[in-house]
């Protein structure tokens, strides 16, 4: 701990310096154009050696605005240590020129090392929140701040890994022979229906493992731009798969648990893929009984998970038990200016809709920036509710001293 504090003290001026810069958001088209047109490793290096520390510094400054009781949890300190170590290692390339024959290869290896170090950031951060809740309970104001922070923190992490993956896939030995036409992690002709089917098949295996049954899938496509042609998108298939897998898991579980004893069998889960002028939308519909309106927002809240603490052992299902699947899936959708929304009818079922930008030129990264607006969010005290709240007993108006004159 002393070494960590000493390192933090010595590095603080650099963190403050880099946090003054705003991250530079890139569009999917920019990622694609750079990768297609004889990608230059030196150019990528010159951009990343500044951009990665900027993105790290922005989130490192913001994490310090969290309550001390949360920051003191062992898991949170571990994540801070990982970020600090990665930041310090990147600073080692601050003044190293790409003409040095060893620099580019050393930098590539460092990026892979950093990516591996940050593999468990999501479950470790989640563990820290659980540790905090067990010790200090639930506070609505602090919960609101944690929600705000984690959305920004995990978005920053998605963007950080996106930059690293593009560089290592383009210039390293990470190239996937199964996808030779991919530009880094981007598929310039991503078949949306294929990703839907892959995510369904994976979720189906999981569902059959636990329930010994799984609903069928029905897929429809509506291509407004080119009727009767399959819908393709310029997108990151792994991001889309992550979102769809989470939605299928939820739909299958709800469907099986509601209909497992039904004589009619399990109703299918339906997927509808549509492409319009602005949006590419994917709707996953189930008849799993739905969710009350009161609980919809809670499904996206990191502090509301009631599941038992999951195992962090290797081989466990990612995020199982943390209740982070939906909120992080929504962040993946929003990362390139899309969204994920739930529409539920209690007693019937739920429609989950993923919205993506139809044009790659409009799919810019949505990145958190550490500034005064962010700072004020953590420091502003909660205001009194300016809407009425229902009480347990109806108020007796006859006893009010403000009775209306008749």
């Amino acid at each position: 701990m002393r070494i960590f504090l000493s390192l933090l003290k010595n590095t603080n001026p650099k963190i403050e310096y880099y946090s003054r810069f705003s991250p530079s958001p890139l569009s999917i088209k920019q990622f694609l154009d750079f990768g297609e047109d004889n990608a230059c490793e030196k150019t990528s290096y010159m951009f990343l050696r500044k951009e990665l520390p900027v993105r790290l510094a922005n989130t490192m400054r913001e994490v310090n605005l969290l309550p001390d009781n949360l920051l003191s949890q062992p898991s949170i300190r571990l994540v801070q240590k990982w970020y600090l170590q990665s930041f310090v290692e990147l600073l080692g390339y601050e003044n190293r020129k790409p003409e040095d024959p060893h620099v580019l290869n050393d930098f590539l290896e460092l990026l892979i090392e950093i990516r591996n170090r940050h593999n468990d950031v999501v479950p470790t951060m989640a563990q820290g929140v659980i540790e905090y809740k067990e010790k200090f309970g639930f506070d609505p104001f602090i919960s609101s701040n944690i929600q705000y922070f984690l959305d920004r923190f995990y978005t920053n992490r998605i963007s950080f890994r996106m930059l690293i993956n593009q560089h290592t896939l383009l210039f390293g030995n990470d190239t996937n022979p199964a996808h030779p036409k991919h530009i880094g992690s981007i598929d310039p002709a991503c078949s949306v229906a294929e990703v839907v089917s892959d995510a369904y098949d994976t979720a189906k295996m999981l569902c059959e493992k636990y329930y010994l049954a799984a609903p069928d899938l029905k897929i429809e496509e509506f291509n407004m731009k080119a009727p009767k042609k399959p819908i393709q998108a310029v997108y990151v298939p792994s991001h889309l798969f992550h979102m769809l897998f989470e939605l299928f898991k939820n739909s299958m579980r709800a469907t099986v648990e509601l209909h497992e004893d039904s004589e009619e069998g399990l109703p299918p889960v339906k997927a509808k893929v549509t492409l319009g002028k602005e949006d590419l939308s994917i709707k996953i519909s189930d008849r799993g009984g739905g969710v009350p309106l009161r609980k919809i927002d809670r499904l996206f809240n990191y502090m509301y998970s009631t599941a038992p603490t999951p195992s962090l052992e290797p081989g466990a299902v990612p995020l199982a038990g943390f209740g982070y699947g939906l909120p992080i899936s929504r962040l993946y959708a929003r990362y390139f200016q899309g969204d994920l929304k739930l529409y539920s009818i209690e007693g019937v079922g739920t429609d989950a809709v993923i919205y993506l930008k139809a044009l790659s030129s409009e799919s810019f990264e949505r990145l958190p920036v550490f500034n005064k607006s962010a700072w004020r969010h953590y420091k502003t005290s909660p205001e009194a509710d300016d809407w009425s709240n229902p009480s347990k007993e109806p108020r007796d108006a006859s006893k009010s001293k403000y009775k209306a004159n008749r």
Side-chain angles (χ1 to χ4, degrees), residues 382-387:
E383 297 180 359
D385 196 353
D386 55 358
W387 291 90

Side-chain angles (χ1 to χ4, degrees), residues 23-26 31 41-53 55 107 163 365:
S24 303
L26 300 172
F31 278 116
E41 189 171 1
K42 289 181 181 179
T43 304
S44 182
Y45 165 75
M46 294 297 287
F47 174 70
L48 292 184
R49 74 172 184 177
K50 180 179 179 182
E51 184 63 19
L52 291 176
R55 296 193 186 192
F107 186 70
L163 293 181
E365 292 180 290

Side-chain angles (χ1 to χ4, degrees), residues 7 27 61 124 140 164 171-172 213 231 284 291 300 314 318 320 357 379 382:
L7 189 60
S27 69
R61 287 290 302 278
T124 307
I164 288 178
F171 307 114
I231 294 173
I284 306 298
V291 181
F300 292 99
K357 288 290 183 183
K379 299 301 179 183

